[in-house]
Amino acid sequence: MGIDRLDTIFHPTSVAIVGASEQPGSVGQAVIRNLIDGGFEGPVYPVNKGHTTIMGKKAYAALTRIDDPVDLVVVTTSMETVPGIVADCGRIKAAGAVIISVDGKEAGQSGRRLETKIRDAAAGTGLRIVGPDCLGIMCGPARLNASFAGPMPLDGKLAFVSQSGAICTAILDFSLKEHIGFSHFISLGSMLDVDFGDIIDYLSADPAVTSIVMYVESLTRHRNFMSAARSVSRVKPIIALKAGRSRAGAIAAASHTGAMAGEDAVYDAAFQRAGIVRVRTFEELFDTAEILSRKCRFKGPDLAIVSNAGGPGVMAADALSDYGMEPVRLSHETLEALDAILPEHWSHGNPVDILGDATPQRYAAAVSILTRAKEVQALLVMLAPQALTDAVTVAQTLADQFSQTTLPVLTAWLGGIDVEKGRDRFNQAGIATFDTPERAVRAFMNLYRHARGIEMLQQIPPRLSKRIQVDRETAGRLVEIGLSSPGGRLTETEAKSLIAAYGIPVNPTTAAASADEAVSIAKGYGFPVVMKILSRDIIHKMDAGGVILDLKTGDDVKKAYRDLIATAGAAFPQAKIDGVTIQPMIRTPDCELIMGTKRDPDFGPVILFGMGGILADLLNDRAIALPPLNRLLASRLMEGTRIDQLLKGYRNHLPADRERLDEMLIRLSQLTIDFPQIAELDINPVVIKNGQPIAVDARVVLTPSPFPAPMHLAVSPYPAQYESRVQLADIGELLIRPIRPEDAQLLVEMFETLSPQSIYYRFFSPMKQLSPTMLARFTQIDYDREIALVAILESGSSEKMLGAARVILQHNMKDAEFAVLVGDPWHGKGIGAHLLATCLNIARERQFRIIWGTVLAENKGMLALCRKLGFIIKRGGQSGEFELTLDMTQLPPGASFKA
């Protein structure tokens, strides 16, 4: 659902309160009082059939009795009355309703039935609903306080979004004390309709918001959430406190919100993939809000520390060390400058200890030098209370000085009553201030984590040296076998055949139904061999004594066969045993790994990597990522484990083949993308021998999926269905396909063929090259939000990009902007026309509404193409520009665009 009505909800021209009351302490009275005290300038309509006036305002018996338009309705009545009120909201064409009423789904079955009735009442009306069981909403720029919380927050550019009303009021109370400003306070409650994904999308388009802080208990529509967060986190930091990390916390969160929380490690992986910085405690959430709200835009990790005592400086350096960082090394010039103004016994390094008798002037002089030092990217100034130091005067002096610098500055005035007024002075000046070195460093490092996370997300993944090819037909047959088998389990031979169909190297394995057959197979492989029990009913073969290693002769094999069948039969008397499997023995492997996937109830399939073999569960050295994967994401997944150090080469251990491991993870990722029926898949162990990985055991469990591919994924995968080929005169056959993150170099090479005029036509400004940020923006797209096709000329294994076209959804998720770029040598060949027509056909299929773009008057070729495709062309607001629009809703059924 789009977000086009949310702007009206947060900037309404009028508000009605259903259940309004003059009764002191009532929710209805609190909402009206907050609207009035907050300075809301539009009309407020109390609705309560038992009154004629409420708090000096005319009261109405029902929403439908109000003659004037109503944008926002706040509902405070009992939950049983809400479905009828929501139906009235639809009748008066309200944009939205904030349902404060409690006892929705968190109250059990009766609450879930009421929420279903509310959804039914709102269906087809376009009404957006915040809540139920919420505190309400606040929007500073609109002077809107439609809540029963306290007063409006101070003005600021930080948005706070929470499922818990109590957390909202606590943060609000803290913010007033600490002089932290907010643009929005949004309590979502149980999220019957509007959820975190919708709010993130809405806030992304609001220039009054620069950062988003969230308290999350559970999520809904996880794919929509991931799509919104991945889009927004690149331009606006998103910080989240996800509750329910422990089992007890997850149960409490479930009873609170009516939705079970997902496995915590999966949330970690999802937030990392989305570019969200996750914090662990309420204190950390507030500290991060503190630093985001101040004049503290991150420039880099190189932190200088100033203190009037050695101990706090050491504590700050230790806190940095916990994150693998150190204070910046000061240059010779900076040290000389500090030497000239500090006492002889200062620390002569970073942290800069300016000694216990430091005056305001000494602080100011040291800060002046460090803020001008080229090597310093951020500054932490600390003060410990001492008899010779006036904490308030120092704070006042520095606050004035900090207003003159663009460097990110944090302060930590250590202590209680003696320094409290100094912290107050920093708060009033809008300077981030803390009461301990550790809190200041942690907040700063959360800024670093966000910047580093976005930088990593924008890195260009390397290409594999060969193209991924799979046997989907064979894999599909094996999946059907598993679905029709008891427990949905494949045998070892079937499981290995499944992963082999996707190009994952496996140890050759053959089934044997008798001792003689086992001997024959062993001789064919050559000794020594490994024998394993073959049964769908025995999941963990080692637990049943179902694996015998290092069989060196035929007699060994015969005896092992008899022993294995007997042992497994005794351990699992109900199991159907089909025989054994024989495979070559791999002696003295370099190490053993585990790769696998499981279907998470919230985020769909997740990929697991870590230390394998019998120690996998004991040591728990593993990392998790969401598919789809590319080489960069696969490598990052491995780097999240301790065993990765061994894989890179350690002492007498040779490094493993990293590209081969990347490829295995990418192939496993593709298997989970193509077959949502895979509930669990373990490849354990993956043995590394002479640097080369090979799967020696596999286990697969299949169940029907509630979602078809690729809708079972939290992150949209590469849409291979949009690949096609076209034959063009003078060029030959071109591959038309969606753009990939690995295409960055191809895009650079095409850009280099452009004339200054072509660059100006496309980008409306002169450019000499594409920046890394632009490359990431153009190639690392969200396939749910953007259609981006490229024309590729293939020559053997090499590729050349000749053109690109894209249609980019706007924040309302209905309208989209188009753009086309073709390399100069291939102008006039029909490439741009074919690309744009194909993009428009996909947009029609996805039910986009309006396609628009801006074209310079000199770009006559593009104007002619768009006129041919049916765009309406009008002069734009800027001289020399034309605005082009195409209303997709007016196309006849079955219509398609042709180049």
Side-chain angles (χ1 to χ4, degrees):
M1 193 178 293
I3 62 166
D4 41 347
R5 289 203 169 198
L6 291 184
D7 189 57
T8 304
I9 292 174
F10 287 99
H11 296 81
T13 57
S14 57
V15 181
I17 301 93
V18 181
S21 170
E22 289 188 333
Q23 181 180 352
S26 70
V27 173
Q29 185 205 46
V31 173
I32 294 179
R33 175 58 58 200
N34 282 339
L35 283 165
I36 295 170
D37 292 349
F40 180 66
E41 296 180 352
V44 175
Y45 303 109
V47 178
N48 191 323
K49 61 184 177 183
H51 296 74
T52 56
T53 62
I54 295 177
M55 298 179 69
K57 297 183 179 293
K58 179 182 176 180
Y60 296 81
L63 282 171
T64 51
R65 300 288 184 87
I66 302 173
D67 295 327
D68 298 322
V70 176
D71 287 336
L72 176 63
V73 177
V74 182
V75 184
T76 68
T77 55
S78 66
M79 196 67 177
E80 292 78 10
T81 67
V82 174
I85 294 169
V86 167
D88 283 348
C89 290
R91 293 185 185 101
I92 67 171
K93 295 182 169 50
V98 174
I99 302 176
I100 293 175
S101 314
V102 299
D103 293 335
K105 63 184 177 183
E106 71 281 355
Q109 189 61 40
S110 62
R112 285 191 284 273
R113 283 195 295 268
L114 284 171
E115 290 200 3
T116 299
K117 290 182 179 179
I118 294 170
R119 284 193 190 90
D120 292 343
T125 67
L127 181 79
R128 300 307 309 270
I129 296 172
V130 177
D133 191 19
C134 73
L135 185 77
I137 61 175
M138 302 184 194
C139 178
R143 308 311 306 163
L144 175 74
N145 186 353
S147 78
F148 67 99
M152 290 282 287
L154 301 175
D155 290 339
K157 293 196 171 186
L158 189 63
F160 183 74
V161 190
S162 172
Q163 275 174 282
S164 166
I167 298 297
C168 274
T169 55
I171 288 285
L172 178 60
D173 193 45
F174 271 124
S175 73
L176 295 172
K177 175 179 177 290
E178 297 291 321
H179 295 269
I180 296 175
F182 288 88
S183 63
H184 296 75
F185 252 83
I186 304 169
S187 170
L188 292 176
S190 58
M191 300 189 299
L192 179 147
D193 173 28
V194 174
D195 59 15
F196 281 104
D198 291 326
I199 291 297
I200 290 171
D201 266 328
Y202 163 68
L203 294 174
S204 73
D206 191 335
V209 177
T210 57
S211 306
I212 302 169
V213 177
M214 307 189 305
Y215 171 80
V216 181
E217 289 175 354
S218 65
L219 295 173
T220 59
R221 298 192 301 141
H222 297 76
R223 181 166 172 142
N224 179 65
F225 170 81
M226 290 295 293
S227 179
R230 290 174 66 218
S231 172
V232 177
S233 65
R234 294 171 184 246
V235 291
K236 298 183 180 184
I238 303 177
I239 311 295
L241 171 59
K242 168 63 178 70
R245 290 188 291 123
S246 65
R247 179 174 176 80
I251 293 171
S255 62
H256 190 194
T257 64
M260 282 300 294
E263 184 181 330
D264 197 59
V266 178
Y267 272 89
D268 273 342
F271 284 5
Q272 183 179 31
R273 183 70 174 267
I276 296 171
V277 174
R278 183 178 183 181
V279 297
R280 300 287 170 171
T281 66
F282 182 81
E283 178 185 80
E284 188 179 2
L285 181 75
F286 186 78
D287 287 348
T288 307
E290 162 100 13
I291 199 169
L292 286 171
S293 69
R294 306 307 193 187
K295 304 166 185 175
C296 200
R297 285 292 163 256
F298 185 80
K299 293 187 175 183
D302 292 331
L303 181 68
I305 301 167
V306 177
S307 175
N308 67 336
V314 172
M315 293 164 67
D318 285 348
L320 274 177
S321 178
D322 290 342
Y323 294 93
M325 309 286 287
E326 292 183 352
V328 63
R329 182 181 294 276
L330 300 179
S331 69
H332 178 70
E333 292 76 16
T334 301
L335 292 172
E336 278 193 338
L338 290 170
D339 261 334
I341 58 99
L342 293 178
E344 180 183 356
H345 299 296
W346 77 281
S347 59
H348 298 280
N350 189 15
V352 179
D353 179 1
I354 61 176
L355 305 183
D357 61 348
T359 62
Q361 292 73 27
R362 190 185 298 170
Y363 263 102
V367 164
S368 176
I369 291 168
L370 291 169
T371 54
R372 296 196 309 270
K374 294 180 181 179
E375 69 272 20
V376 175
Q377 296 175 310
L379 181 63
L380 169 59
V381 182
M382 298 189 294
L383 179 144
Q386 311 224 15
L388 299 178
T389 303
D390 185 341
V392 178
T393 304
V394 173
Q396 179 63 59
T397 301
L398 293 180
D400 295 339
Q401 186 174 3
F402 291 155
S403 66
Q404 307 300 317
T405 181
T406 61
L407 198 72
V409 175
L410 305 85
T411 64
W413 257 222
L414 282 60
I417 296 174
D418 287 348
V419 297
E420 186 66 34
K421 290 183 179 179
R423 285 196 292 264
D424 286 344
R425 181 63 194 93
F426 286 131
N427 283 327
Q428 293 164 10
I431 296 161
T433 188
F434 304 90
D435 57 11
T436 69
E438 292 86 355
R439 291 179 69 177
V441 168
R442 182 179 61 191
F444 174 73
M445 289 309 300
N446 280 335
L447 290 187
Y448 171 74
R449 284 170 57 201
H450 173 263
R452 178 64 178 150
I454 298 306
E455 177 188 323
M456 293 175 73
L457 287 175
Q458 293 180 343
Q459 288 178 3
I460 307 302
R463 286 173 170 263
L464 288 168
S465 58
K466 59 183 177 181
R467 195 169 295 173
I468 295 285
Q469 294 182 329
V470 300
D471 184 353
R472 189 169 180 175
E473 184 178 345
T474 296
R477 287 198 301 269
L478 290 162
V479 167
E480 291 303 316
I481 290 172
L483 288 172
S484 61
S485 300
R489 290 188 287 269
L490 295 179
T491 65
E492 180 190 359
T493 51
E494 291 165 347
K496 284 184 171 178
S497 295
L498 175 64
I499 62 176
Y502 268 63
I504 294 173
V506 299
N507 197 20
T509 304
T510 306
S514 68
D516 289 339
E517 187 179 5
V519 171
S520 175
I521 294 167
K523 288 179 178 179
Y525 283 139
F527 294 102
V529 295
V530 175
M531 182 182 293
K532 300 178 184 178
I533 198 70
L534 183 63
S535 172
R536 296 184 196 278
D537 301 322
I538 300 176
I539 300 174
H540 298 290
K541 294 182 280 291
M542 293 292 291
D543 295 347
V547 179
I548 300 179
L549 306 174
D550 205 19
L551 300 174
K552 298 182 175 67
T553 68
D555 288 341
D556 289 346
V557 172
K558 282 186 177 182
K559 182 178 183 302
Y561 185 90
R562 292 191 298 268
D563 292 347
L564 210 56
I565 297 295
T567 301
F572 293 89
Q574 305 301 319
K576 180 180 181 295
I577 297 175
D578 301 313
V580 300
T581 63
I582 304 294
Q583 54 193 283
M585 172 80 179
I586 301 177
R587 290 180 178 274
T588 60
D590 303 336
C591 66
E592 294 183 344
L593 307 172
I594 182 172
M595 296 182 184
T597 179
K598 76 159 196 172
R599 185 194 300 153
D600 181 77
D602 293 333
F603 290 96
V606 296
I607 306 295
L608 177 144
F609 175 88
M611 181 182 293
I614 61 174
L615 296 179
D617 293 329
L618 179 64
L619 298 180
N620 197 32
D621 178 25
R622 57 187 62 182
I624 291 174
L626 301 186
L629 298 181
N630 54 38
R631 280 199 69 186
L632 187 63
L633 293 171
S635 182
R636 216 167 278 154
L637 173 60
M638 291 188 284
E639 289 167 359
T641 63
R642 295 188 298 277
I643 200 168
D644 184 62
Q645 294 299 314
L646 185 63
L647 299 177
K648 291 177 178 177
Y650 183 75
R651 293 186 178 175
N652 62 333
H653 284 270
L654 295 174
D657 186 334
R658 298 290 293 195
E659 181 174 356
R660 191 66 167 140
L661 286 170
D662 289 347
E663 184 183 334
M664 288 178 70
L665 287 167
I666 292 168
R667 289 180 180 276
L668 177 61
S669 166
Q670 190 61 49
L671 183 59
T672 68
I673 290 169
D674 291 344
F675 294 101
Q677 303 93 329
I678 297 174
E680 296 179 34
L681 190 158
D682 282 348
I683 309 174
N684 184 24
V686 173
V687 166
I688 305 291
K689 179 70 173 179
N690 298 325
Q692 295 303 307
I694 187 167
V696 300
D697 204 354
R699 182 177 69 89
V700 178
V701 178
L702 299 137
T703 60
S705 170
F707 303 103
M711 299 312 296
H712 66 302
L713 300 165
V715 178
S716 55
Y718 175 81
Q721 69 270 26
Y722 296 139
E723 290 185 350
S724 63
R725 294 186 178 272
V726 62
Q727 195 78 28
L728 295 180
D730 302 328
I731 294 179
E733 185 179 79
L734 292 179
L735 170 64
I736 306 298
R737 62 164 174 81
I739 201 164
R740 294 191 179 105
E742 297 88 346
D743 288 334
Q745 185 56 38
L746 296 181
L747 183 58
V748 168
E749 292 168 2
M750 183 180 76
F751 184 86
E752 290 171 350
T753 71
L754 299 175
S755 65
Q757 183 183 56
S758 296
I759 292 171
Y760 190 76
Y761 282 173
R762 169 61 181 88
F763 299 101
F764 288 34
S765 65
M767 292 171 51
K768 292 186 177 180
Q769 61 183 9
L770 295 172
S771 69
T773 300
M774 293 182 72
L775 279 174
R777 170 67 191 86
F778 291 146
T779 58
Q780 299 178 27
I781 70 168
D782 184 336
Y783 295 112
D784 281 345
R785 292 172 176 253
E786 189 169 342
I787 303 163
L789 300 179
V790 292
I792 300 294
L793 181 63
E794 298 173 301
S795 177
S797 60
S798 66
E799 295 182 328
K800 179 178 289 187
M801 185 184 296
L802 308 190
R806 60 187 70 230
V807 174
I808 310 161
L809 269 175
Q810 303 302 288
H811 292 294
N812 64 9
M813 302 303 286
K814 294 178 180 178
D815 302 331
E817 182 182 9
F818 79 92
V820 181
L821 181 65
V822 177
D824 277 25
W826 308 287
H827 283 180
K829 308 292 185 183
I831 295 173
H834 187 85
L835 286 170
L836 182 56
T838 306
C839 284
L840 293 176
N841 283 325
I842 297 171
R844 178 187 54 78
E845 173 191 314
R846 294 195 189 176
Q847 299 181 333
F848 288 14
R849 188 172 61 184
I850 303 292
I851 311 295
W852 63 276
T854 302
V855 178
L856 293 172
E858 309 97 288
N859 195 351
K860 300 188 183 303
M862 181 57 65
L863 291 171
L865 169 60
C866 291
R867 189 176 289 109
K868 177 183 175 183
L869 290 171
F871 281 83
I872 295 173
I873 301 176
K874 296 181 179 179
R875 289 204 172 271
Q878 298 292 326
S879 175
E881 294 181 0
F882 285 95
E883 297 293 335
L884 283 65
T885 57
L886 179 63
D887 189 344
M888 305 289 277
T889 66
Q890 300 303 310
L891 297 175
S896 65
F897 295 91
K898 300 187 184 303

